[in-house]
Amino acid sequence: MSKCDTIIKGGSFITMDPEFRILSEHFMVIDQGRIVDILPLDQIKQYKAKQTHDAFGCLVTPGFINAHSHMPMSYFRGLADDLPLHTWLKDYIWPLEAKMMTPDFVYDASLHSAAEMILNGITLTNDMYFQKERIADACIRAGMRVLVSEAIIAPKYSGDGHEFAEKLLEFEDAYRDQPLVGCTIAPHAIYTCSAELYSSCARLAADHGWLLHTHLSETQQELEDCLKLNGKRPLEYLASLGVLEAKCLFAHGVWLSGKELELLEGSQSAISICTDSNLKLASGIAPLKDMLKRHLSVALGTDGVASNNNLDILEELSTTAKLHKAINADPEFLPARDAFALLTIGGARTLGKEQDLGSLEAGKCADLLIIDLQNLQSQPLYHPYSQLVYALGAEQIRDVMVAGNFVLKKRQLSNLDEAELISTAQEYQIKIQKELRQ
Ligand SMILES: [Zn+2]
């Protein structure tokens, strides 16, 4: 008999492995934060676990991956809606950030987002903001994975970016013993960073094995300004600067043309579409069908709460699947299983984490969700993928495990106090309203 930390027994394991196996009447063996095996229930006596967790009547899926977020923006939820992106940023978000962004604010707001993400089944988020240490600390406390970055906003900067890299190296050193945390290099966008900076960030990313995380082609204005200034479309412009030498994660990609998408074919770079945020800011709809036809690596991102206005990535998935069927007049586009892949194994690939995350397979990290099906919304159940994409809500996510530890059990956060988070958010609301009146 072999010893292990945890056994999850019963339920249907939606593995998202290369054969997309769904294993019923099975149990999962977890040890030291990783999946050891998924075996038929009649072999359960081979293992002695410290804890056994019952998942009968549930779906067990990989944890969801959020490919683009701004965690500390949670306290700006609903603060300024119904505005175009550039007005919203310049008149509201940036001035407020300049006034409010203390280390405590960043930490508390990130903690709020981490709790909300866990309740929505997100086990890893790829974040872009400032004061990355505070965001990393909040995620460590909540028990979720994060890729942090220090957004580089430097339109007139003509340096070589090395001081940013030095800071990232110091960060990696300081968080060496924190397996939940990683970092990326993040020039904010082509309208806030110089050509030199992009070139040098790409070289640094390639040299140090960092993902280059940037916004790209979000609005028509960005596209038109880029054509006027550089005579090229945004991705053509970045490609001419050598940016595609690095592995990149481009957030949004709403206005990418077929020719630009062609540049990504065979590259290691990927796109995070942000459907809800793009719809709400009326930025447009990303050409997802063309992206997938070209076999590009695509994931979903919530973007920040200030433009979403929540971190419910299942809602994001459902909207994305239905919207793209409608605009393509093609109900067969993006079948439920392919849609669910965007949130799991596809998400892991976009961030270069597919060796460890995105599917339930022996050797991978034990990041998973146990989804309760014993409720009206979940029954009857003919096709699990259909249920996951079109029917289920986040409320059905009963338990969440990250690296072998339960961070949510029966909808209760293991490491955070939900009531305390709510009252802290209300205190910040008062402070922000005071700032807005001044
Ligand atoms: Zn963003």
Side-chain angles (χ1 to χ4, degrees):
M1 187 183 283
S2 306
K3 288 183 178 168
C4 65
D5 290 334
T6 307
I7 280 178
I8 296 175
K9 66 172 180 180
S12 293
F13 292 87
I14 313 292
T15 63
M16 301 310 283
D17 69 4
E19 289 89 42
F20 293 100
R21 287 181 306 156
I22 297 179
L23 304 171
S24 299
E25 302 290 309
H26 273 60
F27 70 102
M28 179 188 272
V29 183
I30 296 164
D31 199 50
Q32 296 186 358
R34 292 203 177 245
I35 299 167
V36 176
D37 218 338
I38 307 174
L39 296 164
L41 269 180
D42 59 12
Q43 296 178 32
I44 201 163
K45 290 206 172 108
Q46 291 177 15
Y47 286 91
K48 187 172 169 45
K50 288 180 198 151
Q51 60 163 339
T52 298
H53 199 75
D54 193 342
F56 283 104
C58 298
L59 294 178
V60 185
T61 75
F64 299 155
I65 291 171
N66 187 359
H68 180 66
S69 68
H70 307 286
M71 294 186 93
M73 297 185 92
S74 53
Y75 291 157
F76 299 148
R77 186 195 323 263
L79 175 104
D81 294 320
D82 312 322
L83 294 166
L85 175 79
H86 290 268
T87 317
W88 173 77
L89 275 178
K90 283 184 185 151
D91 294 352
Y92 291 88
I93 300 300
W94 286 343
L96 257 181
E97 282 180 337
K99 284 182 188 166
M100 296 299 302
M101 221 175 33
T102 63
D104 282 348
F105 179 94
V106 173
Y107 179 80
D108 291 335
S110 299
L111 212 53
H112 190 105
S113 282
E116 194 179 342
M117 285 194 193
I118 290 169
L119 283 158
N120 283 305
I122 295 167
T123 50
L124 163 65
T125 194
N126 179 36
D127 206 67
M128 184 200 285
Y129 209 69
F130 312 100
Q131 304 188 28
K132 59 190 175 308
E133 290 78 5
R134 307 306 291 143
I135 300 167
D137 291 347
C139 289
I140 291 167
R141 180 163 160 210
M144 72 173 286
R145 290 183 201 276
V146 69
L147 287 173
V148 294
S149 62
E150 201 72 34
I152 307 173
I153 298 189
K156 296 196 178 80
Y157 176 81
S158 59
D160 61 6
H162 274 83
E163 62 267 42
F164 295 106
E166 285 303 318
K167 286 191 181 137
L168 280 181
L169 289 170
E170 280 168 25
F171 176 85
E172 283 189 325
D173 213 33
Y175 287 78
R176 196 163 297 284
D177 299 331
Q178 299 293 346
L180 297 180
V181 172
C183 63
T184 69
I185 191 160
H188 171 262
I190 57 170
Y191 53 91
T192 50
C193 291
S194 67
E196 294 77 10
L197 190 57
Y198 265 107
S199 296
S200 125
C201 282
R203 276 194 304 275
L204 289 163
D207 288 350
H208 295 286
W210 293 323
L211 183 72
L212 187 149
H213 182 190
T214 190
H215 293 101
L216 185 76
S217 213
E218 182 173 359
T219 62
Q220 194 170 11
Q221 188 180 335
E222 178 187 337
L223 167 64
E224 283 168 7
D225 290 350
C226 187
L227 282 168
K228 224 180 282 167
L229 274 169
N230 308 302
K232 295 185 178 79
R233 298 177 70 92
L235 188 55
E236 293 169 339
Y237 167 63
L238 287 190
S240 75
L241 301 175
V243 169
L244 292 178
E245 301 298 311
K247 179 174 169 59
C248 303
L249 188 281
F250 298 114
H252 301 292
V254 172
W255 292 88
L256 291 175
S257 66
K259 233 176 112 197
E260 286 175 291
L261 293 179
E262 205 179 311
L263 293 170
L264 293 179
E265 286 180 44
S267 85
Q268 20 168 10
S269 293
I271 303 160
S272 169
I273 61 168
C274 303
T275 306
D276 276 350
S277 171
N278 296 150
L279 287 175
K280 182 160 173 286
L281 290 162
S283 300
I285 299 169
L288 180 62
K289 192 172 186 180
D290 200 2
M291 290 172 184
L292 295 181
K293 200 170 72 194
R294 294 168 191 273
H295 305 289
L296 303 184
S297 190
V298 182
L300 303 184
T302 56
D303 212 356
V305 156
S307 63
N308 186 303
N309 290 5
N310 63 39
L311 297 171
D312 185 347
I313 204 151
L314 266 181
E315 181 186 281
E316 196 82 30
L317 178 68
S318 178
T319 307
T320 301
K322 289 179 252 183
L323 177 70
H324 288 272
K325 286 176 197 298
I327 60 160
N328 289 293
D330 181 3
E332 293 179 31
F333 173 63
L334 200 64
R337 190 185 80 182
D338 296 356
F340 194 62
L342 297 176
L343 218 51
T344 51
I345 187 65
R349 260 186 221 117
T350 61
L351 303 179
K353 297 286 176 193
E354 68 273 25
Q355 297 303 321
D356 285 325
L357 304 172
S359 62
L360 304 179
E361 293 179 82
K364 286 203 179 185
C365 298
D367 287 19
L368 54 88
L369 316 179
I370 300 179
I371 299 174
D372 187 3
L373 299 174
Q374 300 313 307
N375 49 71
L376 292 174
Q377 198 168 329
S378 308
Q379 296 296 333
L381 172 74
Y382 300 106
H383 303 292
Y385 295 116
S386 157
Q387 214 81 343
L388 286 162
V389 178
Y390 303 123
L392 293 186
E395 323 73 65
Q396 270 87 51
I397 299 169
R398 190 187 76 184
D399 311 310
V400 177
M401 176 180 269
V402 179
N405 298 312
F406 281 107
V407 293
L408 187 78
K409 251 186 175 178
K410 294 191 177 156
R411 300 295 292 159
Q412 293 299 311
L413 294 161
S414 310
N415 306 322
L416 301 172
D417 181 336
E418 213 173 322
E420 202 177 298
L421 291 171
I422 293 167
S423 78
T424 308
Q426 288 164 342
E427 285 165 25
Y428 275 106
Q429 180 194 334
I430 294 166
K431 286 186 206 161
I432 290 169
Q433 280 171 324
K434 218 185 241 171
E435 276 302 332
L436 282 173
R437 277 196 296 271
Q438 279 170 10

